[in-house]
Amino acid sequence: MILQKLATPLGWWRAGAMACMAIMLQASPAQAADAGDVVIGVFLPTTGGFSPLGIEMKNGYELAVKDAPKVKGRQVKLVVEDTQGTPATGLRVAQKMILQNHAKLLIGGTSSSVVLGINAQASRLNVPIVTTNSQAVQTTGKQCSKYLFRTNPNDAMVANANGLLMKKKPELLQKKWFVVFHDIAWGHSNKTEFSKIPGIHIVGEAGRAFGTADWASAFAQIQSSGANAVYLALAVGDDLPSFIRQARSFGLTQFMLAPLGMPDSMLQTLGENGAGMITGGLFGSWMLEDHSAEMKRFVNEYGAAYGIVPGAQAIQAYAGMRLTLAAMDKATSLDTPAIIAALENTSVDTVIGKLAIRKQDHQGMVGTYMSESVKLDAPKFGSKLGWKVIEALPWDSVKVGLADTGCKGL
């Protein structure tokens, strides 16, 4: 089968809570939940540079609830709040959803820094937190907690996947790599893990703030370094396709590796420059619909609802929410300890295959996909490019051993 081969102090808390309550009294009617509803708080950016990813994740969550609308016979209600991609706002809206909307669980986490900021107050928030996109290793590593769960691959797993890609294509190890990274938690985590790939030759690096509009100074550094390949540890917001477009117009012809690929919606904006990229760390591809009836159903449902194909973040969001809903339904109650126990012991079949949590560090036991961006023979929901899976890399091939995670126990 092709996929098998491819396969603070208390006072601070009270003061913060009171401040949030003053804001929360103006909740919109659309976010009001009936007394019998099971409320899940969704924290993600719907404005700002990360918003394309946040919207994809929101779409995936909504479809998952549409397909599994009840927990313990009660209607599931999603309350969505905009984190604006910042830790301070993320913590504020997390408190709001718990205190006002009585959310039993929080899910989201487009940005690792937002997830880690909320997790720092997890014991006070006292609800399970599930992220379907945080990639920084410390999320389930050094900053692991009994409250926090991750259902997507982390940076170390992505590095392992790209290491396998380089074994398959050894000419990549012969290249001189220049690393461009975002100066945020994820960027530092990702570039560090990339540097650990055996045999990799890095000749320079350039860190820039998220939201950088002009990359000319980084291009000059790349040219002077003698690099013939560029590793893009850039968060997959608008900056990534912008960098690629500017680099090509600037005359840079170096091979480029985006460790996670990029969302399909952004891939389309690159036009001719979008074809021919490869990655070992793609989180999911709608093009697997040719091999999976469940993926095909999801792609058609997503396309009918939103007019586009689902990107990797939407696919991961859908799968993570389905696991979350199954665990909440399985839990002996909707109290926090019961939901945590159920998340640790639930396994579900999803659009990315079987999904379960490693109990010891709360890392999702998932794989990645070695993929190439290709032109489609015929457009699919307006998309002319897509990520063709070369090989599926299962959990056992990319996982990080418990002793190496940095998690000292939950």
Side-chain angles (χ1 to χ4, degrees), residues 256-385:
M256 293 186 184
L257 174 61
L260 313 174
M262 71 173 66
D264 288 75
S265 59
M266 293 179 184
L267 186 61
Q268 312 310 314
T269 69
L270 293 175
E272 294 293 323
N273 291 327
M277 293 188 294
I278 61 173
T279 181
L282 192 72
F283 283 7
S285 172
W286 65 267
M287 292 187 72
L288 288 173
E289 65 176 3
D290 292 339
H291 309 285
S292 166
E294 175 63 7
M295 179 64 83
K296 185 171 186 177
R297 179 201 63 77
F298 173 63
V299 172
N300 288 330
E301 182 181 21
Y302 192 97
Y306 305 111
I308 55 176
V309 294
Q313 277 71 26
I315 292 168
Q316 284 286 331
Y318 183 86
M321 179 64 87
R322 290 302 299 263
L323 173 68
T324 298
L325 295 172
M328 294 178 77
D329 195 49
K330 175 182 176 180
T332 56
S333 75
L334 292 180
D335 292 337
T336 292
I339 297 176
I340 289 174
L343 283 166
E344 291 177 338
N345 293 284
T346 297
S347 174
V348 293
D349 291 319
T350 73
V351 292
I352 57 171
K354 189 171 292 296
L355 177 57
I357 296 293
R358 184 163 62 180
K359 184 175 181 179
Q360 293 89 341
D361 63 347
H362 290 175
Q363 170 63 51
M365 295 188 287
V366 293
T368 68
Y369 300 91
M370 196 180 295
S371 306
E372 178 182 10
S373 58
V374 299
K375 294 180 181 179
L376 304 179
D377 294 333
K380 180 83 171 186
F381 293 114
S383 293
K384 297 181 180 181
L385 298 166

Side-chain angles (χ1 to χ4, degrees), residues 214-296:
D214 185 351
W215 293 93
S217 61
F219 299 153
Q221 289 179 261
I222 293 169
Q223 287 180 318
S224 64
S225 72
N228 56 8
V230 181
Y231 182 77
L232 303 172
L234 300 177
V236 284
D238 293 332
D239 287 17
L240 179 54
S242 176
F243 178 93
I244 296 172
R245 287 194 299 270
Q246 287 185 41
R248 295 313 187 203
S249 64
F250 197 82
L252 268 67
T253 59
Q254 283 88 343
F255 174 82
M256 293 186 184
L257 174 61
L260 313 174
M262 71 173 66
D264 288 75
S265 59
M266 293 179 184
L267 186 61
Q268 312 310 314
T269 69
L270 293 175
E272 294 293 323
N273 291 327
M277 293 188 294
I278 61 173
T279 181
L282 192 72
F283 283 7
S285 172
W286 65 267
M287 292 187 72
L288 288 173
E289 65 176 3
D290 292 339
H291 309 285
S292 166
E294 175 63 7
M295 179 64 83
K296 185 171 186 177

Side-chain angles (χ1 to χ4, degrees), residues 18-306:
M18 292 299 290
C20 285
M21 286 298 292
I23 298 170
M24 293 186 283
L25 293 175
Q26 301 178 15
S28 65
Q31 298 227 326
D34 292 337
D37 290 343
V38 176
V39 178
I40 296 176
V42 178
F43 64 101
L44 41 72
T46 54
T47 59
F50 284 115
S51 61
L53 305 187
I55 291 169
E56 281 209 7
M57 292 167 65
K58 175 177 175 289
N59 293 347
Y61 296 146
E62 289 175 345
L63 285 188
V65 172
K66 177 178 177 290
D67 292 344
K70 293 187 176 182
V71 164
K72 298 189 177 301
R74 298 162 57 185
Q75 194 72 32
V76 174
K77 173 69 178 182
L78 297 183
V79 175
V80 180
E81 291 287 350
D82 181 11
T83 66
Q84 301 172 6
T86 68
T89 304
L91 180 57
R92 178 177 62 78
V93 300
Q95 292 172 172
K96 174 182 177 181
M97 290 186 288
I98 294 167
L99 293 171
Q100 178 177 334
N101 302 108
H102 308 294
K104 296 292 185 182
L105 176 143
L106 300 178
I107 191 169
T110 301
S111 165
S112 293
S113 59
V114 171
V115 173
L116 294 172
I118 294 174
N119 185 49
Q121 300 297 328
S123 62
R124 294 189 175 91
L125 295 173
N126 194 35
V127 299
I129 305 162
V130 177
T131 177
T132 66
N133 194 64
S134 174
Q135 294 137 39
V137 173
Q138 58 262 46
T139 299
T140 52
K142 289 183 178 179
Q143 297 188 37
C144 63
S145 89
K146 69 177 183 180
Y147 298 96
L148 182 59
F149 296 79
R150 168 164 50 197
T151 61
N152 61 279
N154 64 44
D155 283 334
M157 295 167 63
V158 168
N160 288 343
N162 281 306
L164 291 173
L165 172 66
M166 292 182 185
K167 286 184 178 180
K168 191 178 186 72
K169 296 181 177 292
E171 65 273 16
L172 296 179
L173 279 179
Q174 305 305 314
K175 292 185 178 295
K176 298 177 182 178
W177 290 89
F178 191 97
V179 178
V180 181
F181 66 97
H182 273 137
D183 192 12
I184 56 177
W186 174 79
H188 286 276
S189 171
N190 191 273
K191 79 180 184 74
T192 297
E193 295 304 321
F194 179 71
S195 70
K196 297 177 183 178
I197 293 177
I200 201 74
H201 183 197
I202 297 173
V203 296
E205 65 176 41
R208 296 292 186 271
F210 183 76
T212 294
D214 185 351
W215 293 93
S217 61
F219 299 153
Q221 289 179 261
I222 293 169
Q223 287 180 318
S224 64
S225 72
N228 56 8
V230 181
Y231 182 77
L232 303 172
L234 300 177
V236 284
D238 293 332
D239 287 17
L240 179 54
S242 176
F243 178 93
I244 296 172
R245 287 194 299 270
Q246 287 185 41
R248 295 313 187 203
S249 64
F250 197 82
L252 268 67
T253 59
Q254 283 88 343
F255 174 82
M256 293 186 184
L257 174 61
L260 313 174
M262 71 173 66
D264 288 75
S265 59
M266 293 179 184
L267 186 61
Q268 312 310 314
T269 69
L270 293 175
E272 294 293 323
N273 291 327
M277 293 188 294
I278 61 173
T279 181
L282 192 72
F283 283 7
S285 172
W286 65 267
M287 292 187 72
L288 288 173
E289 65 176 3
D290 292 339
H291 309 285
S292 166
E294 175 63 7
M295 179 64 83
K296 185 171 186 177
R297 179 201 63 77
F298 173 63
V299 172
N300 288 330
E301 182 181 21
Y302 192 97
Y306 305 111

